[in-house]
Amino acid sequence: MYVSSVRSAGPARPATRSKHAVPSTVIGLGVVSLITDMSAEMVTAVLPLYLVYGLGVGFLQLGAIDGLYTGATALLRLAGGYFADRLGRPKAVALVGYGLSAATKLAFPAAGSSLGAIGLVIGADRAGKGIRTAPRDAMITLATPADGLGRAFGVHRAMDTAGALLGPIAAFGLLTVLVGDYPAVFGVSFCLAVIAVIVLAVFVRAPAGAVERSRVRLRAGFALLRRPGLRGTCLAAALLGMCTVGDMFLFVGVQRSAGLPPGALPLLPLATALTFMALASPIGRLADRLGRWKVFLAGHVVLLAAYVVLAASATGWLVAVVVLAAHGVFYACTDGVLMAHAAPHVPEPLRATGLAFVQTGQALARAAGAVLFGVLAAGVALGPAFAVFAAALLVSVLAGSRVA
């Protein structure tokens, strides 16, 4: 079991605005995430274009790839969280994850047009993300006072999303100047990922209390699921995750509904990222004051509205603006806010493990949702598939509203 003398935080409560400055550890991790996301999004921004219009994959195959992209992180999130707590070295475990993702960037050119090889590379890249996510988020919670968690995660996610905004721009610029030179995109992406690893290793300090080895046992980690607050959060987040459509499908749906040329597809994530970046910090502060779970559910309501628009098969630029803006609001209300809500339900010696349980359940559910949506879209087309998922998401939000 873990050391009982270390305190355990109670359930999350709406708080007044924190008077504490955002810790330097959070800022440092934000810089690492900014550079890493710029590297990652250079690749992911061109994947739908390459897969749908380059290789001609259908909705069924795209759903499988989108599910792999989301779900490959799942089980390794648990491993990353457990070993971060077990060793008392969340920074070291996070470095392993960032390093693995960096190495995969050089493997994309070798994958060529083979869907199997592309799937393996994506799986390895997402495995690296899975390993690093829980230790990184645990470092944020350990470095931040409880009443400022929403604000801290908002600042981190805003910096993270700045990289997601710059990545597609860089990729689009390279492909324009070098006329479709995909290996150049992968090469620059690799260099950026290596820089991020160096910044984490040299400039980011592990928070106090996260440097001593803990007597953590795997049994104690699974016992966390007996805590009503954490168990309810895991189940509700998983249910909502299963009713969300993968990003690749949403962007393809926007491109087709708005009547945009296929070449515009890599630029669509920019609108989502810009909205997310602008709203992540203020929504994080709002969540600290109003209640983090309420804001989390509100984000899904906004996403539901976007699905309704796509299900109606409306056309024109206004569709693209509304859906992509709603998509960005959804991420601002959910990504860091969920971790801020879950953290106080987990004792500090098991913080990374507890957060990993929430992340793993959500990731597995989203992977299943992406595959299910691909099957549905292949059978009944995009519009009706979005309508079905809108109805399912509405039921899930109502169920999730019962979680405190």
Side-chain angles (χ1 to χ4, degrees), residues 114-196:
S114 168
L115 284 179
I118 290 173
L120 287 175
V121 176
I122 289 175
D125 175 61
R126 297 295 90 186
K129 180 176 175 61
I131 292 171
R132 71 182 183 248
T133 300
R136 180 203 66 199
D137 286 351
M139 289 174 68
I140 293 174
T141 68
L142 293 170
T144 307
D147 66 339
L149 285 173
R151 179 187 180 202
F153 274 104
V155 169
H156 175 267
R157 296 310 199 253
M159 298 178 72
D160 179 283
T161 309
L165 181 66
L166 294 172
I169 295 175
F172 185 78
L174 283 171
L175 291 177
T176 300
V177 173
L178 300 178
V179 192
D181 189 351
Y182 288 97
V185 174
F186 299 134
V188 173
S189 173
F190 170 74
C191 292
L192 289 171
V194 170
I195 291 172

Side-chain angles (χ1 to χ4, degrees), residues 335-356:
D335 193 354
V337 171
L338 177 60
M339 294 298 97
H341 169 78
H345 292 285
V346 185
E348 286 186 359
L350 291 169
R351 184 61 55 81
T353 304
L355 296 182

Side-chain angles (χ1 to χ4, degrees), residues 42 81 94 100 129 209 223 253 286 355 374:
M42 288 184 69
L100 177 60
K129 180 176 175 61
L286 183 68
L355 296 182

Side-chain angles (χ1 to χ4, degrees), residues 6 12 67 69 77 79 83 110 112 127 174 177-178 187 215 239-240 242 284 304 310 325 379 392 398:
V6 181
Y69 192 83
R77 287 178 191 252
F83 282 109
L174 283 171
V177 173
L178 300 178
R215 291 186 294 154
L239 179 62
L240 289 162
M242 188 172 290
L304 170 61
L310 290 174
L398 294 175

Side-chain angles (χ1 to χ4, degrees), residues 56-76:
V57 304
F59 289 146
L60 196 60
Q61 295 94 327
L62 185 63
I65 293 172
D66 204 0
L68 173 65
Y69 192 83
T70 304
T73 69
L75 296 181
L76 285 175

Side-chain angles (χ1 to χ4, degrees), residues 173-347:
L174 283 171
L175 291 177
T176 300
V177 173
L178 300 178
V179 192
D181 189 351
Y182 288 97
V185 174
F186 299 134
V188 173
S189 173
F190 170 74
C191 292
L192 289 171
V194 170
I195 291 172
V197 171
I198 294 172
V199 171
L200 176 60
V202 177
F203 296 105
V204 177
R205 294 192 304 174
V211 293
E212 295 186 4
R213 189 183 179 116
S214 300
R215 291 186 294 154
V216 173
R217 297 290 182 267
L218 189 59
R219 183 173 57 185
F222 282 99
L224 289 172
L225 294 177
R226 292 199 292 265
R227 293 171 170 252
L230 187 65
R231 183 175 64 245
T233 297
C234 287
L235 292 175
L239 179 62
L240 289 162
M242 188 172 290
C243 300
T244 57
V245 175
D247 288 357
M248 289 186 189
F249 273 118
L250 187 134
F251 294 137
V252 170
V254 169
Q255 179 257 319
R256 295 192 174 184
S257 293
L260 303 176
L265 194 54
L267 297 178
L268 296 183
L270 296 180
T272 292
L274 184 60
T275 306
F276 186 6
M277 182 180 66
L279 295 179
S281 182
I283 286 181
R285 292 195 298 269
L286 183 68
D288 283 335
R289 294 197 297 270
L290 299 183
R292 293 156 191 163
W293 190 252
K294 291 179 182 177
V295 171
F296 179 71
L297 288 179
H300 286 84
V301 173
V302 174
L303 185 66
L304 170 61
Y307 291 175
V308 170
V309 172
L310 290 174
S313 300
T315 58
W317 277 93
L318 184 59
V319 172
V321 172
V322 169
V323 172
L324 295 176
H327 197 221
V329 173
F330 161 72
Y331 274 121
C333 290
T334 58
D335 193 354
V337 171
L338 177 60
M339 294 298 97
H341 169 78
H345 292 285
V346 185

